[in-house]
């Protein structure tokens, strides 16, 4: 299935949704949905913008991208799959013409959209499910992205030197990402005492003296792969070894439970029970545990109250943490055992056993 075929299949799924809901059309204006419907097209100009550079309109008989005269040719030539969309442009200085073009195409009736504050009907939960089960070519792209993301983090951990700053390390991560056409959507680095101090450590001028934590959410073609690794420049303390192993067991329990039919609330409850068994009953409350990923860093954050049943070909990123330690990979839910997409085989492995099953989790790299 090429990009044109993939997008055609998604357009048909949208039209089936339109038939069920009675809407005349749907407008997708957010970057995540732009990438999804275009089979990996990049809809951004500025990375701080959630809104895409063009709005995708799917009606019952037409598919189009409405954009400005600035972006029309680039989107058509570099981001859109061939033969799927008409490209309709309007002057950049007349943004109100976008809605006029859309209304002219769809006529009377209701139009649903992902854009907040548009005055149109918001997308419902059923529409959100259209992008959460990955098609085979999306799974292939995910595997490639996840391997690249893990390789970036692991390469940086092997190359970094003592006394480099967290900003230096983040710069290394970003450089390797851009070499691989990856947007470092989340690029967190903590050295030594900052690892325990903050769950989301933005990099600073703090210099590494002993231990380094590197966290990356890598984005390419709209998909997101998350990975965390820890490197020690001295023998780790017994306390760090113990906490890292405990965290790995929590992670393993949640990964092993991630199968079709499992409920996110039940998986989080199992993780919380494992925290308690490890002697850290309240640590799960100090940071979210991750959840469903895909075209958003977290499509659904999993909590003890999240009533959501997993299906095959959905992606998850669990990220349990115990103060000073963290374990994180991106996985694929399959009809068999979960597939760890960010496993490279080139990092120290820690085999952990939970509830009678054994799973390999990332260990500490000691340099």
């Amino acid at each position: 299935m090429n990009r044109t075929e993939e997008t055609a299949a998604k357009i048909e799924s949208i039209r089936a949704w339109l038939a069920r809901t009675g809407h005349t059309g749907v407008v997708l204006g957010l970057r995540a949905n732009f990438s999804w419907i275009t089979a990996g097209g990049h809809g951004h100009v500025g990375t701080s913008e959630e809104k895409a550079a063009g709005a995708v309109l799917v009606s019952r008989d037409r598919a189009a991208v409405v954009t400005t005269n600035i972006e029309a040719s680039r989107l058509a030539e570099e981001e859109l799959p061939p033969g799927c969309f008409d490209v309709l442009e309007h002057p950049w200085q007349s943004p109100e013409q976008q809605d006029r073009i859309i209304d002219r195409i769809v006529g009377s009736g209701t139009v649903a959209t992902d854009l907040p504050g548009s005055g149109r009907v918001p997308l419902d939960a059923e529409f959100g499910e259209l992008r959460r089960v990955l098609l085979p070519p999306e799974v292939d792209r995910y595997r490639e992205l996840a391997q690249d993301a893990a390789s970036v983090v692991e390469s940086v951990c092997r190359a970094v030197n003592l006394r480099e700053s967290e900003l230096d390390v983040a710069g290394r991560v970003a450089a390797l990402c851009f070499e691989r056409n990856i947007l470092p959507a989340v690029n967190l680095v903590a050295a030594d005492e900052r690892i325990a101090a903050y769950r989301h450590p933005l990099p600073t001028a703090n210099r590494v003296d002993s231990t380094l934590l590197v966290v990356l959410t890598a984005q390419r073609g709209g998909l997101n792969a998350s990975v965390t690794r820890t490197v020690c420049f001295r023998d780790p303390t017994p306390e760090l070894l113990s906490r890292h192993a405990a965290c790995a067991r929590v992670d393993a329990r949640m990964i092993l439970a991630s199968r079709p039919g499992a409920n996110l609330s039940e998986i989080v409850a199992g993780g919380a029970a494992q925290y308690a068994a490890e002697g850290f009953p309240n640590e799960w409350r100090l940071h979210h545990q991750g959840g469903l990923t895909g075209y958003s860093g977290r499509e659904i954050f999993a909590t003890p109250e999240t009533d959501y049943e997993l299906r095959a070909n959905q992606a998850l990123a669990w990220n349990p943490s115990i103060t000073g330690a963290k374990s994180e990979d991106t996985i694929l839910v399959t009809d068999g055992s979960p597939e760890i997409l960010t496993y490279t085989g080139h990092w120290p492995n820690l085999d952990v056993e939970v509830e009678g099953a054994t799973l390999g989790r990332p260990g500490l790299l000691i340099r």
Side-chain angles (χ1 to χ4, degrees):
M1 182 184 285
N2 59 32
R3 286 186 68 202
T4 296
E5 294 167 335
E6 179 183 336
T7 293
K10 292 174 178 177
I11 289 173
E12 287 308 306
S13 72
I14 290 176
R15 286 179 173 149
W17 177 82
L18 290 174
R20 291 192 298 272
T21 60
H23 296 314
T24 309
V26 63
V27 174
L28 303 177
L30 298 182
R31 286 170 49 192
N33 280 324
F34 181 98
S35 291
W36 169 70
I37 190 62
T38 61
H42 290 112
H44 67 274
V45 176
T47 57
S48 63
E49 293 288 333
E50 288 190 8
K51 191 174 179 180
V56 179
L57 166 66
V58 177
S59 70
R60 294 170 184 174
D61 58 8
R62 194 170 184 186
V65 173
V66 185
T67 187
T68 68
N69 59 309
I70 303 173
E71 305 299 336
S73 60
R74 182 183 67 84
L75 294 181
E77 294 165 11
E78 296 186 343
E79 303 299 346
L80 302 179
C84 292
F85 301 99
D86 299 325
V87 177
L88 309 175
E89 67 177 79
H90 60 82
W92 66 266
Q93 71 273 25
S94 303
E96 72 282 355
Q97 290 196 25
Q98 175 176 293
D99 279 340
R100 293 175 187 169
I101 293 170
I102 291 169
D103 290 339
R104 188 167 63 245
I105 293 173
V106 299
S108 60
T110 58
V111 176
T113 185
D114 59 359
L115 291 171
S118 66
R120 301 187 186 275
V121 178
L123 295 179
D124 62 15
E126 182 186 351
F127 188 93
E129 288 302 290
L130 297 182
R131 82 179 197 194
R132 289 177 182 153
V133 176
L134 304 170
L135 297 175
E138 292 176 296
V139 172
D140 291 341
R141 292 198 298 273
Y142 226 138
R143 287 189 176 111
E144 293 173 1
L145 168 63
Q147 286 294 297
D148 283 347
S151 294
V152 164
V153 172
E154 292 173 5
S155 295
V156 168
C157 287
R158 286 191 171 89
V160 68
N161 298 308
L162 278 174
R163 305 307 299 162
E164 283 193 67
S165 73
E166 296 165 350
L167 288 167
D168 292 331
V169 176
R172 286 176 180 263
V173 170
L176 289 181
C177 280
F178 282 109
E179 286 179 9
R180 293 160 174 77
N181 192 25
I182 288 173
L183 177 66
V186 176
N187 187 358
L188 305 179
V189 181
D192 303 307
E193 70 279 356
R194 291 190 75 242
I195 298 174
Y198 308 110
R199 257 31 182 214
H200 290 153
L202 295 178
T204 70
N206 183 44
R207 297 186 179 276
V208 61
D209 180 64
S210 177
T211 308
L212 185 71
L213 178 81
V214 181
V215 181
L216 173 66
T217 294
Q219 186 181 102
R220 185 168 63 206
L223 294 170
N224 292 268
S226 298
V227 58
T228 295
R229 298 290 185 264
T230 303
V231 56
C232 299
F233 294 87
R234 295 181 175 85
D235 288 338
T237 65
E239 178 73 5
L240 176 57
L241 287 171
S242 175
R243 287 179 174 240
H244 185 83
C247 199
R249 284 189 288 270
V250 174
D251 198 12
R253 180 162 175 174
M254 292 196 291
I255 290 173
L256 290 168
S258 300
R259 298 176 182 272
N263 196 290
L264 289 181
S265 63
E266 296 170 353
I267 298 173
V268 173
Q274 192 65 40
Y275 274 105
E278 301 292 342
F280 302 97
N282 294 314
E283 285 282 333
W284 71 271
R285 301 178 185 276
L286 303 181
H287 187 250
H288 72 79
Q289 301 302 297
L292 201 70
T293 186
Y295 285 94
S296 179
R298 294 295 183 271
E299 295 269 0
I300 299 175
F301 283 98
T303 75
E305 289 76 41
T306 306
D307 184 14
Y308 185 87
E309 189 173 292
L310 294 176
R311 287 175 283 171
N313 286 348
Q314 291 186 318
L316 289 162
W318 299 114
N319 49 250
S321 59
I322 294 171
T323 303
K326 182 181 179 184
S327 183
E328 180 180 32
D329 274 308
T330 301
I331 69 171
L332 181 72
V333 179
T334 75
D335 288 323
S337 299
E339 178 184 347
I340 302 176
L341 299 176
T342 41
Y343 172 76
T344 66
H346 303 298
W347 188 261
N349 186 63
L350 181 64
D351 285 327
V352 299
E353 183 175 337
V354 288
E355 298 192 310
T358 301
L359 185 70
R361 301 305 303 124
L364 302 171
L365 176 65
I366 302 173
R367 293 180 49 194

